[in-house]
């Protein structure tokens, strides 16, 4: 049998209430109306009881006991219309939660609704619409004006401006021309362009984002019911007040009247609605939060390369030895490295090209992995690489930065130093995190300690752990005292994926980072902007604050009404109607988490 949705349950309850009303006031069969309501109430109470037992068996506790007692008590004393109102309230509250979650999740659902299905593939006969999943890497596709880019690619023809707001949260269109990469999910401007596909559809940026959204939508059950933290004291207080009112008045109806206004429906709903609202706000800022429970954790640890720094090394200094000129040193080093794919080689060749340095022919090239290369250039043996490989006897040549060293025919010729530029927003991000209460900032990096300490000092990070392998980063995270948890880890590379999984909250710089890191992380920053980390923490704190406020407002109103009901001035039916007011107040307050600016 297909399980009824919360909306269907609400309509079924309303229909039963309507039938009971007609039987009592239309045909004057109050007993039959009472029997129908009692059967419906018993079924709901039994269903809730089964659910509560399952919850208790899992080692958790909740506030469902009050709702069950309220239904049973009102039926027991003959206040079946009050019981009917409680049933409508419970099913209506669940339906309202679904509606609020749907409204709060609008931005995320838009991604799924707009997911591209076909690509215009260039063929010898023109173009042909092909399902995106069937388009191979290297194929040429046309993206027409106003269309969504279906697959990641490289522009080979045309220029235009692209709306990347759904990916990065950046509203301003980004200008692209031939040679630029375009992310799937961005919207083309007014000109048609031709792309060479660089990734399969399943690996493209947009599809990765859609996958994250689907995960986020499939995990609402992971929301921590914030009201459960107050469940024991609130439940005990409500039952004690109910029993005391019954004992003092000698009237069992008083017990039911107090329990009716103590029904915890608004408390159960407030936190999940606030959490979904917070996820929606995060998505508008280019931050995908996979589960609501992540928003309950204030996280800090940072990878360096690609996270605090840009990850793009550039030549900082050319340091020739003796009478060797800078141009000669650069000429020999660049010539030797011209066929290498190493990141330093690419940076070196780019620098040589910018300074119009010519390259010589290379022969007899050999490479020792992790050490350097040896090549014959202009009848001289040239070595380029690490100092121990190039000039092991020259201790004075050692530099406290990333560098390559050069020797010619066994004679040390000099070194070329590189630097990785700190992200301009890094220092401000660390300041904002400290202001948000993240006092322990740690840098975990595989780079040399001297380099790492320079970067840490520049951005305001107090603790540095350098020369780390991936397993060392995991050990460093695990060694953080429990008193300083929860801990978040920010990274972007494949080697960061294990650390992201180890941390309480893994945050991946997903716009240009690795797929492995994005899949492992709990939070993905879509725009390559470190400041979004501070924004994610701010949204997390705002969301949790509003969720707590919504829960406490519900508790406060229920407590006041319980005390009033204990005097007997609030009939059970009226008390049940007042619960709808509490429902509305709690839900509307929780929705503030979505409506906050920025």
């Amino acid at each position: 049998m297909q399980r009824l949705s919360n909306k269907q349950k609400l309509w079924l309850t309303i229909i039963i209430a309507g039938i009971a009303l007609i039987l009592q006031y239309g045909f004057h069969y109050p007993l039959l109306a009472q029997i129908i309501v009692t059967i419906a109430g018993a079924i709901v109470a039994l269903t809730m009881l089964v659910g509560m037992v399952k919850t208790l068996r899992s080692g958790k506790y909740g506030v469902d006991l009050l709702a069950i007692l309220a239904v049973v008590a009102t039926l027991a004393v003959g206040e079946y219309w009050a019981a009917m109102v409680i049933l409508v309230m419970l099913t209506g509250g669940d339906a309202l939660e679904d509606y609020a979650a749907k409204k709060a999740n609008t931005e995320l659902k838009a991604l799924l609704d707009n997911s591209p299905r076909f690509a215009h593939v260039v063929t010898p006969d023109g173009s042909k619409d092909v399902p995106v999943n069937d388009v191979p890497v290297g194929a040429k596709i046309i993206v027409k004006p106003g269309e969504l880019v279906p697959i990641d690619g490289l522009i080979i023809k045309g220029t235009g401006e692209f709306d990347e707001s759904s990916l990065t949260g950046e509203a301003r269109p980004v200008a692209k021309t031939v040679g630029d990469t375009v992310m799937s999910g961005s919207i083309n401007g007014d000109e048609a362009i031709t792309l060479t596909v660089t990734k399969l559809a399943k690996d493209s940026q947009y599809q990765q984002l859609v996958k994250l959204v689907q995960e986020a939508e499939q995990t609402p059950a992971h929301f921590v019911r914030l009201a459960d933290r107050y469940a024991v004291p609130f439940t005990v207080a409500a039952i004690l007040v109910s029993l005391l009112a019954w004992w003092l008045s000698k009237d069992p109806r008083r017990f039911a009247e107090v329990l009716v206004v103590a029904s915890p429906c608004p408390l159960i709903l407030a936190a999940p609605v606030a959490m979904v609202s917070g996820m929606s706000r995060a998505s508008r800022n280019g931050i995908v939060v996979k589960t609501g429970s992540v928003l309950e954790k204030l996280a800090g640890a940072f990878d360096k390369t690609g996270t605090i720094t840009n990850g793009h090394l550039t030549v900082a200094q050319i340091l020739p030895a003796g009478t060797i000129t800078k141009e000669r040193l650069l000429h020999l080093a660049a010539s030797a490295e011209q066929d290498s794919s190493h990141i330093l080689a690419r940076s070196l060749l780019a620098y040589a090209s910018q300074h119009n340095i010519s390259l010589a022919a290379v022969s007899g090239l050999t490479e020792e992995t992790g050490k350097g290369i040896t090549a014959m250039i202009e009848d001289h043996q040239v070595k380029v690489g690490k100092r121990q490989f190039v000039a092991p006897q020259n201790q004075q040549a050692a530099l406290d930065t990333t560098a390559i060293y050069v020797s010619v025919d066994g004679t040390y010729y000099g070194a070329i130093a590189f630097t990785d530029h700190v992200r301009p927003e890094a220092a401000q991000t660390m300041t904002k995190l400290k202001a948000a209460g993240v006092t322990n900032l740690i840098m975990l990096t595989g780079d040399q300690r001297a380099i790492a300490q320079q970067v840490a000092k520049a951005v305001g990070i107090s603790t540095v752990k350098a020369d780390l392998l991936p397993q060392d980063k995991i050990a460093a995270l695990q060694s953080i005292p429990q008193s300083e948890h929860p801990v978040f880890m920010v990274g972007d590379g494949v080697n960061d994926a294990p650390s992201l999984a180890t941390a309480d909250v893994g945050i991946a710089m997903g716009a240009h980072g690795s797929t492995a890191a994005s899949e492992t992380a709990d939070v993905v920053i879509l725009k390559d902007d470190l400041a979004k980390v501070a924004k994610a923490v701010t949204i997390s704190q705002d969301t949790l604050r509003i969720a707590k406020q919504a829960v406490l407002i519900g508790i406060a109103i229920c407590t006041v009404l319980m005390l009033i009901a204990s005097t007997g001035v609030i009939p059970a039916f009226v008390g049940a109607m007042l619960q709808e007011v509490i429902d509305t107040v709690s839900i509307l307050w929780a929705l503030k988490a979505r409506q906050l600016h920025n």
Side-chain angles (χ1 to χ4, degrees), residues 397-451:
L399 300 174
D400 290 332
T401 186
T402 303
I404 58 172
Y405 301 83
V406 181
S407 68
V408 177
D409 296 331
T411 301
Y412 178 64
Y413 256 47
I416 298 174
F418 296 80
T419 186
D420 189 0
H421 298 285
V422 174
R423 290 176 182 267
E425 74 274 14
Q428 186 179 21
T429 298
M430 302 306 160
T431 301
K432 288 181 178 179
L433 287 173
K434 289 177 182 177
V438 186
T439 55
N440 186 20
L441 297 173
I442 307 170
M443 178 190 291
L444 305 178
T445 178
D447 284 352
Q448 301 173 32
R449 176 165 297 278
I451 300 172

Side-chain angles (χ1 to χ4, degrees), residues 17 104 116 158 191 280 284 289 348 434 455 463 501 510 580:
E191 302 290 335
S280 174
R284 295 202 308 271
V289 180
L348 179 64
K434 289 177 182 177
V455 173
T463 306
E580 295 291 353

Side-chain angles (χ1 to χ4, degrees), residues 531-545:
K532 297 287 187 180
V533 174
K535 174 61 70 176
V537 171
T538 299
I539 292 173
S540 172
Q541 291 179 324
D542 288 345
T543 300
L544 193 56
R545 172 174 52 82

Side-chain angles (χ1 to χ4, degrees), residues 10-80:
L10 172 61
W11 279 113
L12 183 59
T13 305
I14 291 173
I15 291 171
I16 292 173
I19 293 172
L21 279 170
I22 293 172
L23 287 173
Q24 176 157 344
Y25 297 106
F27 297 100
H28 305 291
Y29 293 139
L31 180 60
L32 192 54
Q34 182 175 359
I35 291 172
I36 291 176
V37 174
T38 301
I39 292 173
I43 292 173
V44 171
L46 182 62
T47 302
M48 292 182 66
L49 180 62
V50 171
M52 187 184 73
V53 171
K54 289 181 179 178
T55 301
L56 290 172
R57 284 180 175 175
S58 68
K60 301 177 182 178
Y61 50 84
V63 286
D64 300 315
L65 179 61
L66 288 177
I68 297 171
L69 287 175
V71 172
V72 173
T74 49
L75 290 174
V77 299
E79 293 283 355
Y80 56 94

